Amino acid sequence: MCAQPVPNTTEIRWQKVLYERQPFPDNYVDQRFLEELRKNIHARKYQYWAVVFESSVVIQQLCSVCVFGVIWWYMDEGLLAPHWLLGTGLALSLTGYVLFDLLDGGEGRRKSGRTRWADLKSALVFITFTYGFSPVLKTLTESVSTDTIYAMSVFMLLGHLIFFDYGANAAIVSSTLSLNMAIFASVCLASRLPRTLHAFIMVTFAIQIFALWPMLQKKLKACTPRCYVGVTLLFAFSALGGLLSISAVGATLFALLLVSISCLCPFYLIRLQLFKENIHGPWDEAEIKEDLSRFLS
Amino acid sequence: MAYRGGGGRRHGPSAAFHPVSPGRLFTCRTPTHNICMVSDFFYPNMGGVESHIYQLSQCLIERGHKVIIVTHAYGNRKGIRYLTKGLKVYYLPLKVMYNQSTATTLFHSLPLLRYIFVRERVTIIHSHSSFSAMAHDALFHAKTMGLRTVFTDHSLFGFADVSSVLTNKLLTVSLCDTNHIICVSYTSKENTVLRAALNPEIVSVIPNAVDPTDFTPDPFRRHDSITIVIVSRLVYRKGTDLLSGIIPELCQKYQDLNFIIGGEGPKRIILEEVRERYQLHDSSKIRVRLLGALEHKDVRNVLVQGHIFLNTSLTEAFCMAIVEAASCGLQVVSTRVGGIPEVLPENLIILCEPSVKSLCEGLEKAISQLKSGVLPAPEKIHNIVKTFYTWRNVAERTEKVYNRVAGETVLPMDKRLERLMSHCGPVTGCIFALLAVFNFLFLTFLRWMTPDSLIDVAIDATGPKGAWINQYPYSRKRGRNKTR
Amino acid sequence: MEDELSFSDIYGGRLALQRRYYSPSCREFCLSCPRLSLRSLTAVTCSVWLAAYGLFTLCENSMILSAAIFITLIGLLGYLHFVKIDQETLLIIDSLGIQMTSSYASGKESTTFIEMGKVKDVIINEAIYMQKVIYYLCILLNDPMEPNGISQVVPVFPSAKPRLDCLIEVYRSCQEILAPGKATSTSP
Amino acid sequence: MVLKAFFPTCCASADSGLLVGRWVPEQNSAVVLAVVHFPFIPIQVKELLAQVQQASGVGVAVLGTWCHRRQEPEESLGHFLEGLGAIFSHEPWLQLCRERGSKFWSCKATHRQVPTSPSAPGEDQVMLIFYDQRKVLLSQLHPPTALPDHQAGDATASTRGLAAVFDTVARSEALFRSDRFDEGLVRLSHWQSEGVEASILVELAKQASGPVCLLMAYLLSLISAASTCRVFKLWPLSFICSKLSTCEQLRHRLEQLTFIFSTQKAENASQLMRKANTLVSVLLDVALGLTLLSWLHGKDRIGQLADALVPVADPSSASSVVVYWAYCGQTGLCGQEPSQAECPWLLRVAQLRGRRKESLGAGKEWVAEELQHLLQWLMGAPAGLKMNRALDQVLGRFFLYHIHLWISYIHLMSPFIERILWHMGLSACLGLTVALSISDIIALLTFHIYCFYVYGARLYCLKICGLSSLWRLFRGKKWNVLRQRVDSCSYDLDQLFIGTLLFTILVFLLPTTALYYLVFTLLRLLVVTVQGLIHLLVDLINSLPLYALGLRLCRPYRLSAGVKFQVLEHEAGRPLRLLMQINPLPYNRVVHTYRLPSCGCHPKHSWGSLCRKLFFGELIYPWRQRGDKQD
């Protein structure tokens, strides 16, 4: 029975078992209490530059949103001829398409087993649908007030940035959702443009910059990291330039944002690692290491 | 409809496991308490917590205490029922939010609970299971009313993800001024102390128990082919995925190996797929049998059909299943998680790492032992295990806790607020201190609305002046009035 | 013989219990709660009329006042006739039956008579009522299908909810009549 | 156990004699039915009882003696009564005795052979229960007990408790037949010993009812034969008949009449009651209908009604609409240059016309014109809502065109409408309910609203479904049909693009359609509500059990929910005296028990599901005919 603590507890060692009655009270606290407590088992060490390199994906996405905004502003002001944008867009996407295959010698395509005919078909689908719907898009939101549209598209672009797949496996990441939000925003903005052609071209451009460009980026990052960094810098500076041509203040703010994301945040991440403290012990729910799907396939 | 005591009839056999004789003898020795067990989980719901509450209450009644149970209404089972030996159960009409746990607003349950505490002259509130919102509500109200509180934690929690962080915070708040906490194993004690940032002195370890008379080995067991039994809910936490890996491995290795799997759950489909894929249920001999959900009384009959019991849980505070299996004389193979290593001595259990490989090795070891016949006889195992865990022992140790708590003082309001604010962090502490103040005001309002003098003092069915006499249920009231 | 005791209901209001023993085989328990007090009546009426007058000052429409008067009158009548129960009577006649009468403030009476053949027993039961847990006296009717089943539970004194002490008084003297009655009625 | 003696109040003043009644052993109670007066010859009494017994199947016997002391008690009578016990042996032997002056009676029951009950030496406790024989005889217990079959044995077995008493009294009418004017050899006193209660009218009606029933039944069979001939079975006719509520009413009325005049007798009380109820309700219905008829065919109310019912059908508005529509047509539906220009113009025309009409002073309501105004309003920016103008124009013109069609239809119909109404009015002589089923006419006259509603609902439903599925695509999910749940799914780029494009478009077009849908749904609901109210009224008239209610009102004891007892004041040592009264059935239970089946059109779904249907744009027909309720 668990009676009152008998004096000779020194020689009778307390042992962590339930099945035998020990001469200790039920609330006895041994010095071996919490001895299996472990801390920061899975804590990872980060390299500063590696983190900076990883953060470039975020930079890219921010810049593409910024570029999209700038282009839309130019077209809304009428400073940018739609044909010119169409031409450059087509040229760029063609080069990107060629690059896309050249980079990995086309074995990515072989893996996915996607034919060029399929690419052509989807391209045709894009063009035809956008062109067919552009009059509708034009008159779609004319009775909705402009501020509503702006608010909606800003919200959607933010959502695009939030849900974008930056390579981290979190619950909220959903590339589909982010792409759809971007397209929604582009449609909203396009419906504000003066002419039907403008709307058409704006939407195509949105496709290029939100759907195709990230795919190319991924491949670049995988194959040639060095030139990927170069491309990122180039892209960032072009975005900054475009923004500068619209408003200096916006440009400075944007530059600050980029710098803080690419340099400060990694720094803090590494600093805060020191204060990390998460507890492990026998009570943790054991996770299953090996994959069990092999038994079911 | 109290006299309908359906529960009493259903669980009667499992309760009447020893003669009623010693009941009154203890009462002279120790002071008796009026104990109110509060939890969302009780019969007709089935599980470890439920049976724990039921058996513990029965033993406490036998030791001359007055015990009542408060839980929420299950379906049309509302109101007040009497179970075996006059165990009185209040099924309160509260809304159930998420798997059998009531929604908590921290206030809506106060009027009823206060009424019950007053009319039953409760002195000690004993809440069970940290998953039950009602239990935490009861603790909160009891402290406001200045009653002594005990809490039993039946489960383990991690510290990793957001949800567990939040629940740990709530647990901290609700336990920071609770008089005493009971855990079912040392691991669970460590866990609780860490989660709720408690002083380990006020945390007692009292294991669960099994009723050895319910789990006796089958004297004539067939030895033609080896059978492995698994009895658990088929969910992720119980490691059903591991099971789906183990079954094909072993079935391909040993041709005379069968599996019996009792239990229901979302992961059942995986096992069925495995069975399909490896043709383990051909018409000639079914090698993997899925029995589906089991009644508590059928468990023994399933267990004694096998030779080896396999437990693949990923986390357990105190695994009752392996004790039951061992008590039925089976060789137990289990994962080394949570409090399981503390439960059985090494010669009765084979502990493995939670992976398919290690578990297979453990099982093969068990099989080889079985074939070579070095395993002790089931009756021998039963006789060993029988001495480990009994409800009477649990009741005695719980009674000690009650006695100790009865000696302590409940924090007055100001002290309580201070403790909340000092102990639970600035934000949460303040919020809950405010809530406590509101709760107190609400209580004073209720006292003004219906003063305690207006509340009829209930007639004890159990306890020192218990009026319960085992007649047929209808004439209960008359019997009661004769005794007064 | 007749005597009168005073008890209180679960809200603390006063109740008067009159017991009439007509004969060893016939008893009557009459539980009467206080009548509608003039104070509360005037209070309600005045409040309604004040509200009506406030409305009237807002929008000059004399319809409101007349409407208020009508509403109070109709409400009072309805209350007296359908809601306010002044007296509840329980009449037990051995080997004949149990009769429950509840008389409203307007004098309307509603009676239900339960034959002794249907009555299984009279017990005190507990129930969760609103935010309270109360005791109440109830009559168990046995259902013709199976011998010791209960088809229905009829509560006694449903409107005036007396406290336990009062119930026990009534319960005891009910059992004095019922207990032998049950013995013989169950014999054939 | 106490011995209960049920004693009829009418015998309380009878002279001394023998108590005749039935002894119910299982609850040891004696039901006294009558008192036999002196002088009598025991043999004859026994004969009489034997006759009654084999006539009624009730075990009637002599239960004891009854002595009513008017003058000072004489022992001789007492002894004589004692002696009678020897002649008519009965267990136990009752001795009721009423002194002059005092209200308290003495009663004792003695057992002959004492050893049977050693505990009570011959005597045991007696309780006197007075009952009004007439009421008990006429009243009918609810819920009815097992129907009394005429073998005494299992009749007593079937009826238990107080039902046995009622049963006894009800079945021993043979005893009550003899009153004191027929020179029977035995003088009884009971509730109609002062003369049999009967009325000439009732007897005459009973005599007359037979042939009338025969005749009517013959006629009705002819009618029904005619109605079932093959012509009505042809597809369109049968379909229309199933839909028109007038036909429903006629069919129902036919059923009612056939039921009333069915020649076979009603075997049990409930069916009799039902017949009576049906008869009364039909009579009342016809009476109401006739009053309506007389009122209608008074000074040209038909015409006014017709004018009130016909929506505007005068050339001016129609022509204006035609002009307007033509204009819309030739401006073309290509969507630009919307009709901002001509809206004010048309409004002005409308106002002018409205004023002219008011000057003409026919208080008509201009359904079609109001609809046009509504559409104009919708085609503008209604309530400052952000609607897509192009779609708005298209929908608006579409509906305007419909109104035009509608008006021309009214043109065709307008000459006949008055005559139709007149004939409908004639149909009122078949009863108010038939006349009230003008909901058909309402349905006909508001056909265009129904059409609008259907178009709007279909469009809206389409939009909602599209949006819901596209929203799933937008979130990168898809509906798994096999598992009945939403799975995540990876789409191709072009699928995503097109899906999102359509999603955007639908989202921005939703308010327009939703508004149209809303407006026309409201109109539809209005119409439906009116129809529903009419249906309810008809249902009420058809199904209210008037006869039963009347009985409950005038003869409360006829329908009894049970009995209630009242303790008469009593003094110690004397037997307890109770007064048994009939507890009348409450009104709600009367209605509940005797509701007549009616061709009720019952609300198909609850409010929640109705709102749900409305939200998802499914069509609603809240009033369903009896026919499809059965299958």
Side-chain angles (χ1 to χ4, degrees), chain C residues 74-95:
Chain C
I74 300 297
L76 183 62
L77 284 184
Y79 178 74
L80 288 182
H81 195 66
F82 296 110
V83 183
K84 180 84 169 73
I85 290 183
D86 268 351
Q87 213 177 35
E88 281 181 303
T89 315
L90 177 72
L91 176 67
I92 295 188
I93 310 166
D94 181 16
S95 78

Side-chain angles (χ1 to χ4, degrees), chain A residues 40-142:
Chain A
N40 302 344
I41 297 177
H42 311 302
R44 285 163 47 193
K45 298 301 293 176
Y46 291 105
Q47 299 300 330
Y48 178 71
W49 288 109
V51 180
V52 172
F53 176 72
E54 290 303 325
S55 74
S56 61
V57 187
V58 186
I59 305 285
Q60 285 274 11
Q61 221 44 42
L62 278 172
C63 291
S64 46
V65 168
C66 167
V67 165
F68 178 74
V70 170
I71 295 288
W72 177 82
W73 186 82
Y74 273 116
M75 288 190 82
D76 199 18
E77 295 295 314
L79 304 176
L80 181 60
H83 309 89
W84 188 83
L85 178 60
L86 180 60
T88 38
L90 279 182
L92 283 177
S93 42
L94 279 180
T95 44
Y97 185 69
V98 174
L99 266 180
F100 191 79
D101 280 352
L102 289 186
L103 275 174
D104 58 356
E107 110 269 348
R109 165 179 298 278
R110 246 173 274 113
K111 247 197 247 84
S112 65
R114 183 174 169 80
T115 60
R116 305 198 178 277
W117 169 240
D119 295 345
L120 188 59
K121 218 168 46 181
S122 45
L124 274 180
V125 166
F126 285 139
I127 303 294
T128 42
F129 266 85
T130 327
Y131 195 74
F133 274 120
S134 50
V136 182
L137 298 184
K138 178 72 193 57
T139 58
L140 193 56
T141 65
E142 59 191 7

Side-chain angles (χ1 to χ4, degrees), chain D residues 521-531:
Chain D
T521 308
L522 287 182
L523 285 180
R524 168 72 177 160
L525 280 182
L526 195 70
V527 176
V528 163
T529 324
V530 173
Q531 291 188 1

Side-chain angles (χ1 to χ4, degrees), chain C residues 21-26 28 91 93-96 99 101 109-113 115 117-118 184 188, chain D residues 1-4 6 26-27 125 127 129 160-163 563-568 570 576 578 583:
Chain C
Y21 295 144
Y22 294 114
S23 82
S25 66
C26 170
E28 190 175 40
L91 176 67
I93 310 166
D94 181 16
S95 78
L96 194 60
Q99 169 169 307
T101 312
E109 280 202 347
S110 74
T111 310
T112 52
F113 177 79
E115 291 182 35
K118 294 211 193 78
T184 52
Chain D
M1 185 172 181
V2 186
L3 186 148
K4 301 178 284 295
F6 291 84
E26 60 264 18
Q27 52 204 317
Q125 207 177 9
M127 183 188 300
I129 301 169
R160 39 186 295 281
L162 286 165
V563 296
K564 55 187 173 188
F565 290 89
Q566 182 183 348
V567 182
L568 303 177
H570 103 301
L576 180 72
L578 301 172
N583 197 6

Side-chain angles (χ1 to χ4, degrees), chain C residues 151-163:
Chain C
S151 66
Q152 198 184 349
V153 176
V154 184
V156 188
F157 305 133
S159 83
K161 299 182 176 51
R163 287 183 60 175

Side-chain angles (χ1 to χ4, degrees), chain B residues 362-413:
Chain B
L363 282 172
E364 287 173 15
K365 184 170 160 218
I367 292 170
S368 59
Q369 285 178 353
L370 194 70
K371 286 185 170 163
S372 59
V374 298
L375 287 184
E379 287 69 19
K380 199 153 151 295
I381 303 181
H382 174 70
N383 292 332
I384 300 170
V385 173
K386 187 169 65 180
T387 63
F388 288 166
Y389 307 104
T390 63
W391 284 113
R392 285 192 174 175
N393 174 26
V394 172
E396 282 169 20
R397 294 161 77 169
T398 317
E399 192 179 43
K400 283 201 180 59
V401 171
Y402 291 151
N403 294 339
R404 170 189 163 136
V405 165
E408 293 175 357
T409 62
V410 183
L411 294 177
M413 200 59 193

Side-chain angles (χ1 to χ4, degrees), chain B residues 314-368:
Chain B
L314 302 181
T315 170
E316 280 284 358
F318 176 98
C319 190
M320 267 170 128
I322 60 175
V323 183
E324 292 168 353
S327 163
C328 285
L330 274 69
Q331 170 64 37
V332 176
V333 177
S334 170
T335 49
R336 184 196 304 272
V337 294
I340 291 181
E342 313 166 19
V343 175
L344 287 175
E346 289 74 4
N347 56 355
L348 293 182
I349 186 170
I350 298 177
L351 289 170
C352 317
E353 292 312 312
S355 71
V356 174
K357 186 164 160 301
S358 158
L359 277 167
C360 285
E361 286 161 2
L363 282 172
E364 287 173 15
K365 184 170 160 218
I367 292 170
S368 59

Side-chain angles (χ1 to χ4, degrees), chain D residues 261-298:
Chain D
F261 295 114
S262 62
T263 43
Q264 78 273 25
K265 286 183 64 66
E267 60 272 11
N268 61 3
S270 68
Q271 195 169 1
L272 184 70
M273 198 59 112
R274 185 168 159 216
K275 255 190 179 179
N277 284 327
T278 328
L279 180 60
V280 174
S281 71
V282 167
L283 287 181
L284 177 98
D285 193 1
V286 171
L288 285 176
L290 287 181
T291 48
L292 179 73
L293 193 62
S294 56
W295 180 79
L296 273 182
H297 292 200

